[in-house]
């Protein structure tokens, strides 16, 4: 972050980390929200939120718990929170649109400052892609439109 600011001090820097939550978010280890974002020249707390990292991938309660924990951590750090990536793959039997809707509704009711949808793509073979070339994806974005105040392409 110090190096980035040496090149350009007019823009805010976020960490762009997975931001695991003390073994609760995932059995996978990695940087936790507080440690990973407690850096002087990182002005925005951030984390990447993928359903595959939840201990119970079907639990919307786990999803809500992570968002609450992250907002509490960001408040402690006195930084705004951006969920730097959210992604739910296309898996048969899982309602991806419902997961996006749940997450976006939770974000609207929380202190999260913003969310980056991952990954908007023209490539249709990626299970995480949200592609304008795929009718299901176009329909999903249209149905989520009221929860997404502005989409930038």
């Amino acid at each position: 972050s110090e190096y980035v600011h040496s090149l350009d001090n007019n823009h805010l820097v976020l960490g762009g980390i997975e931001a695991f939550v003390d073994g609760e978010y995932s059995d996978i280890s990695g940087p936790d929200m507080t440690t990973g974002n407690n850096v002087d020249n990182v002005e925005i707390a951030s984390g990447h939120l993928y359903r595959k990292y939840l201990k119970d991938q079907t639990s919307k309660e786990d999803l809500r718990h992570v968002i609450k924990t992250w907002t509490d951590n960001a408040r402690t750090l006195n930084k705004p929170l951006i969920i730097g990536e959210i992604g739910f793959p296309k898996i048969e039997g899982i309602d991806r649109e419902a997961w996006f809707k749940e997450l976006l509704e939770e974000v609207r009711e929380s202190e999260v400052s913003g969310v980056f949808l991952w990954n908007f793509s023209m490539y249709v073979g990626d299970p995480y892609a949200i592609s304008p070339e795929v009718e299901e994806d176009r329909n999903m974005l249209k149905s989520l439109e009221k929860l997404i105040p502005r989409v930038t392409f």
Side-chain angles (χ1 to χ4, degrees):
S1 62
E2 206 170 302
Y3 175 70
V4 171
H5 280 294
S6 76
L7 299 174
D8 178 358
N9 62 5
N10 292 319
H11 292 88
L12 301 174
V13 175
L14 57 87
I17 62 172
E18 300 295 322
F20 296 99
V21 179
D22 303 323
E24 295 177 27
Y25 176 32
S26 175
D27 290 328
I28 303 168
S29 64
D32 67 80
M33 173 59 82
T34 304
T35 305
N37 287 292
N38 193 15
V39 177
D40 288 339
N41 290 321
V42 170
E43 294 90 1
I44 302 170
S46 67
H48 298 172
L49 185 50
Y50 293 97
R51 198 180 83 226
K52 69 180 182 179
Y53 293 148
L54 298 174
K55 276 189 176 182
D56 179 352
Q57 292 188 32
T58 62
S59 172
K60 291 181 181 173
E61 184 58 39
D62 282 3
L63 181 69
R64 286 189 289 276
H65 174 75
V66 168
I67 292 170
K68 179 173 182 348
T69 301
W70 282 3
T71 55
D72 291 347
N73 291 152
R75 190 178 318 105
T76 298
L77 294 170
N78 197 31
K79 296 180 181 187
L81 172 64
I82 299 277
I83 299 178
E85 294 178 14
I86 61 169
F88 305 116
K90 297 172 188 172
I91 299 173
E92 193 168 329
I94 300 292
D95 185 350
R96 183 166 87 142
E97 182 178 324
W99 276 90
F100 276 112
K101 184 177 180 181
E102 179 76 20
L103 184 134
L104 292 170
E105 286 174 346
E106 285 298 317
V107 164
R108 283 185 69 170
E109 295 174 18
S110 72
E111 296 174 39
V112 174
S113 299
V115 173
F116 297 140
L117 290 175
W118 191 261
N119 93 27
F120 189 81
S121 174
M122 297 303 286
Y123 175 66
V124 297
D126 180 348
Y128 283 91
I130 300 170
S131 175
E133 300 294 317
V134 177
E135 183 178 0
E136 175 187 2
D137 293 351
R138 283 193 311 271
N139 292 340
M140 178 182 71
L141 286 172
K142 185 150 182 70
S143 82
L144 297 175
E145 195 170 29
K146 65 180 175 270
L147 296 171
I148 305 171
R150 185 179 74 228
V151 176
T152 303
F153 301 104

